[in-house]
């Protein structure tokens, strides 16, 4: 075998040493930056360390801690998984994968990590807790209860064990026992967010709106105004008739998350349920002048859909004047809605010359094509909107209208069905589809369509009321009975309905809802 010259070996060794040194320095910097609260800098430093040395488990562990601090749970799970490949018997890694896997839906990996941790450390209560929550999800309450008992046998004051047992009691209908266990733990000085969330979920299960209102403000403070619970609180206020208080919470939330498009979209869904005029003229004026682009565009679309054209125009007037394409395209839609076709068409054409796939401008051009009896061009443009922006219900509506104009009702129906599969909670899309179904005489599908929407929004009084009305017009007595039963449950449900397919919360912060109880006991309650 040919040997490398000594000088070359020394060079390679020196390079390796230099790389290890640079990696260690970057990792040390990352630890210091994380301790100082500079998460972005810490992430950058530790990634540089990993670039230098990708075979050091400690670096991936540190990256996992950084991602945890940033609340990027999936990224944290991935970091710890890389660490596990390098160090399979590290208890911190196994515990992190067990807990994060549970929270991110990687249940198989969570269960496997918990088993491995229990082999290393038979008294690892966190691993038992993970297995207990997995057993609840799998419909194995006896196994979950055994885990709770084992945890509490090791430590009667273990928070996780108390919560696991309380949730099991609540699922069994013993809400008073569950609440007493949580209250006793809190009274002993353990007023943690997890215990308070469990208390909140028991109140929710009991339909106790007063105690929910009492606990949510303090819970929001303790959880740094967590978006999910902000929406939860605003929904509760709206549903119990405290409109002014709900609007106040929403405005404060918009101020805290001015550029969070996902959160703003969720607020719009809340307004579609409860409040078509959520903002005062003064608030609209402020957002028009000083709001973020995300606020202006999303709110303008909301008011445009509501037929409040002047408000929509006011919100994007600044973007329009600054020649921002999104503002100009949305202004074209507003002009079209107001009947100013000539200027709408001209403006949309200018936008598309700069951005050929702008969804609002394409919708205007598709409408023009239909007006000019050119459905093929409308189909082409609407297909782009559906492809690029599948969350925009208008793409499906415009595409279906084009197929109808061509006499292709079957394709129109397929388009609507495709849209409802992607947007099962959309009132606007369901309204358009229902109108089409009734125009072709398909009353049966009109009834099942509104049932589908109600099932996708089990806590929505509006959804069940629409279904009830459709049943009374086109359904039978059984249909009407189902709708009234669903409406009664919705009136007492204080949940914010997540879109179908949303990963559900698991573990210490999971919901305890009537739907969850029905699933756990093998039944299907909603809509039954």
């Amino acid at each position: 075998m040919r040997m490398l010259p000594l000088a070359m070996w020394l060079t390679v060794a020196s390079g390796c040493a230099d790389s290890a040194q640079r990696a260690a320095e970057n990792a040390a910097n990352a630890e210091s930056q994380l301790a100082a609260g500079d998460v972005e800098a810490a992430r950058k430093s530790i990634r540089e360390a990993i670039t230098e040395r990708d075979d050091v488990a400690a670096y991936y562990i540190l990256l996992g801690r950084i991602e945890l601090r940033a609340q990027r749970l999936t990224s944290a799970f991935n970091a710890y998984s890389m660490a596990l490949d390098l160090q399979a018997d590290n208890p911190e890694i196994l515990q992190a994968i067990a807990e994060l896997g549970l929270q991110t839906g990687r249940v198989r990996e969570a269960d496997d990590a918990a088993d491995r941790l229990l082999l290393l450390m038979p008294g690892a209560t966190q691993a038992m807790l993970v297995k207990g929550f997995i057993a609840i999800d799998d419909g194995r309450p006896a196994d979950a209860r055994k885990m709770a008992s084992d945890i509490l046998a090791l430590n009667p004051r273990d928070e996780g064990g108390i919560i696991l047992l309380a949730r099991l009691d609540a699922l069994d209908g013993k809400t008073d026992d569950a609440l007493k266990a949580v209250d006793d733990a809190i009274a002993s000085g353990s007023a943690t967010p997890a215990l308070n969330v469990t208390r909140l979920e028991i109140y929710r299960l009991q339909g106790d709106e007063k105690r929910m209102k009492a606990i949510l403000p303090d819970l929001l403070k303790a959880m740094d105004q967590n978006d999910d619970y902000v929406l939860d609180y605003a929904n509760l206020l709206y549903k119990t008739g405290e409109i002014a208080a709900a609007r106040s919470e929403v405005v404060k939330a918009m101020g805290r998350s001015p550029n969070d498009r996902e959160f703003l979209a969720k607020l719009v869904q809340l307004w579609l349920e409860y409040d078509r005029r959520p903002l005062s003229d003064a608030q609209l004026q402020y957002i028009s002048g000083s709001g973020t682009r995300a606020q202006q565009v999303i709110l303008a679309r909301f008011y445009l859909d509501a037929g409040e054209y002047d408000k929509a125009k006011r919100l994007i007037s600044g973007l329009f004047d600054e020649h921002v394409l999104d503002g100009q395209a949305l202004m074209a839609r507003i002009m079209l809605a107001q009947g100013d076709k000539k200027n709408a068409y001209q403006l949309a054409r200018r936008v598309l010359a700069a951005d050929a796939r702008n969804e609002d401008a394409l919708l205007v051009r598709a409408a023009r094509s239909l007006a000019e009896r050119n459905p093929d061009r409308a189909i082409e443009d609407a297909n782009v909107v559906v492809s690029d922006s599948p969350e925009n219900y208008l793409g499906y509506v415009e595409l279906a209208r084009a197929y109808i104009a061509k006499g292709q009702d079957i394709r129109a129906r397929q388009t609507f069905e495709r849209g409802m599969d992607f947007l099962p909670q959309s009132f606007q899309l369901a309204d358009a589809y229902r109108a089409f179904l009734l125009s072709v005489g398909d009353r049966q599908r009109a009834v099942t369509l509104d049932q589908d929407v109600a099932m996708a929004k089990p806590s929505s009084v509006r959804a069940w009321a629409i279904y009830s009305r459709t049943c009374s017009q086109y359904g039978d007595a059984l249909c009407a009975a189902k709708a009234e039963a669903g409406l009664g449950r919705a009136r007492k449900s204080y949940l914010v309905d997540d879109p179908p397919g949303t990963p559900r919360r698991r573990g210490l912060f999971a919901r305890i809802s009537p739907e969850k109880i029905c699933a756990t006991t093998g039944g299907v309650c909603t809509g039954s």
Side-chain angles (χ1 to χ4, degrees), residues 389-404:
S389 305
E391 74 286 349
N392 186 342
Y393 78 96
L394 285 169
Y396 304 101
V397 173
E398 208 63 30
L399 183 57
R401 287 182 62 219
Y403 282 128
I404 293 167

Side-chain angles (χ1 to χ4, degrees), residues 52 74 105 127 132 134 143 156 187 275 287 330 389 469 478 493-494:
E52 294 287 348
T74 299
I134 291 173
D143 291 345
D275 194 357
I287 294 171
L330 196 47
S389 305
R469 184 179 66 237
L478 179 60
S493 175
Y494 301 114

Side-chain angles (χ1 to χ4, degrees), residues 365-366 368-384 398-399 401-408 411:
R365 191 167 71 181
R368 178 179 185 174
S369 298
L370 283 177
E372 295 175 351
R373 299 185 179 181
N374 186 359
D376 288 329
R377 179 61 181 273
I379 288 170
E380 181 182 333
D381 286 341
N383 262 319
V384 174
E398 208 63 30
L399 183 57
R401 287 182 62 219
Y403 282 128
I404 293 167
K406 284 195 72 172
Q408 297 181 353
R411 297 297 299 273

Side-chain angles (χ1 to χ4, degrees), residues 10-32:
L10 292 174
T11 300
V12 171
S14 175
C16 292
D18 289 346
S19 179
Q21 180 64 28
R22 287 193 298 270
E25 289 172 356
N26 281 319
N29 288 338
E31 285 195 282
S32 299

Side-chain angles (χ1 to χ4, degrees), residues 145-405:
R145 196 169 285 278
K146 181 181 185 305
M147 286 296 167
S149 298
D150 289 347
I151 293 169
L152 294 173
L154 291 169
N155 178 8
R157 299 183 64 178
D158 185 278
E159 177 183 283
I162 291 168
I163 290 173
L164 179 58
L165 186 58
R167 287 176 175 269
L168 285 162
D169 284 341
L171 288 169
D172 283 344
K174 298 184 287 187
T175 54
D176 289 340
D177 291 346
L179 192 57
K180 183 179 184 307
V182 172
D183 286 345
D184 287 348
I186 291 173
S188 70
S190 299
T192 64
L195 281 166
N196 275 315
V197 165
T198 304
R199 178 190 260 175
L200 172 70
E201 293 303 324
I202 296 170
Y203 292 159
R204 194 194 310 275
L205 186 58
Q206 293 175 325
D208 193 335
E209 64 181 72
K210 291 182 179 179
R211 288 201 282 187
M212 285 182 69
K213 287 178 187 175
I215 195 175
L216 267 165
D218 289 337
L219 188 59
L220 284 170
K221 290 178 185 176
M223 299 186 69
D224 196 26
Q225 302 297 324
N226 176 278
D227 287 349
D228 288 336
Y229 292 102
V230 168
L231 289 169
D232 202 352
Y233 189 35
N235 178 74
L236 176 64
L237 293 169
Y238 268 128
K239 196 153 197 174
T240 55
E242 295 190 32
I243 306 300
R247 288 173 174 170
S248 176
E249 290 299 320
V250 165
V251 169
K252 287 187 287 187
M254 288 174 60
R256 287 190 297 266
S257 304
N259 292 299
D260 189 337
R261 289 177 176 269
E262 183 179 351
F263 181 67
L264 290 170
K266 289 179 180 178
L267 290 181
V268 167
Q269 292 305 309
L270 206 60
W271 292 335
L272 289 173
E273 177 73 25
Y274 299 109
D275 194 357
R276 301 314 293 265
R277 295 186 176 182
L279 301 173
S280 67
D281 286 341
Q283 289 165 339
L284 282 172
Q285 190 64 34
Y286 176 80
I287 294 171
S288 299
S290 303
T292 63
R293 183 180 299 184
Q295 290 174 333
Q296 292 164 349
V297 170
I298 289 173
L299 295 181
R301 287 204 176 102
F302 167 74
Y303 282 106
L304 173 57
D305 284 348
E308 299 268 8
Y309 306 135
D310 289 337
K311 290 180 179 179
K313 184 178 287 187
R314 192 192 322 168
L315 280 161
I316 60 162
S317 59
L319 297 178
F320 177 74
D321 291 341
E322 295 167 7
H323 304 289
V324 175
L325 286 181
D326 284 347
Q328 291 185 320
L330 196 47
M331 185 66 79
R333 279 188 54 208
I334 296 169
M335 289 175 175
L336 183 62
Q338 291 181 313
D340 187 1
K341 294 182 180 180
K342 180 180 178 181
N343 286 320
Y345 295 160
Q346 289 177 349
L347 186 54
R349 185 170 62 249
R350 290 202 302 270
V351 171
L352 290 170
D355 178 7
R357 301 182 77 89
N358 184 284
E359 62 183 289
D360 289 309
L362 285 171
L363 288 170
V364 172
R365 191 167 71 181
R368 178 179 185 174
S369 298
L370 283 177
E372 295 175 351
R373 299 185 179 181
N374 186 359
D376 288 329
R377 179 61 181 273
I379 288 170
E380 181 182 333
D381 286 341
N383 262 319
V384 174
V385 177
V386 169
S387 174
D388 289 358
S389 305
E391 74 286 349
N392 186 342
Y393 78 96
L394 285 169
Y396 304 101
V397 173
E398 208 63 30
L399 183 57
R401 287 182 62 219
Y403 282 128
I404 293 167

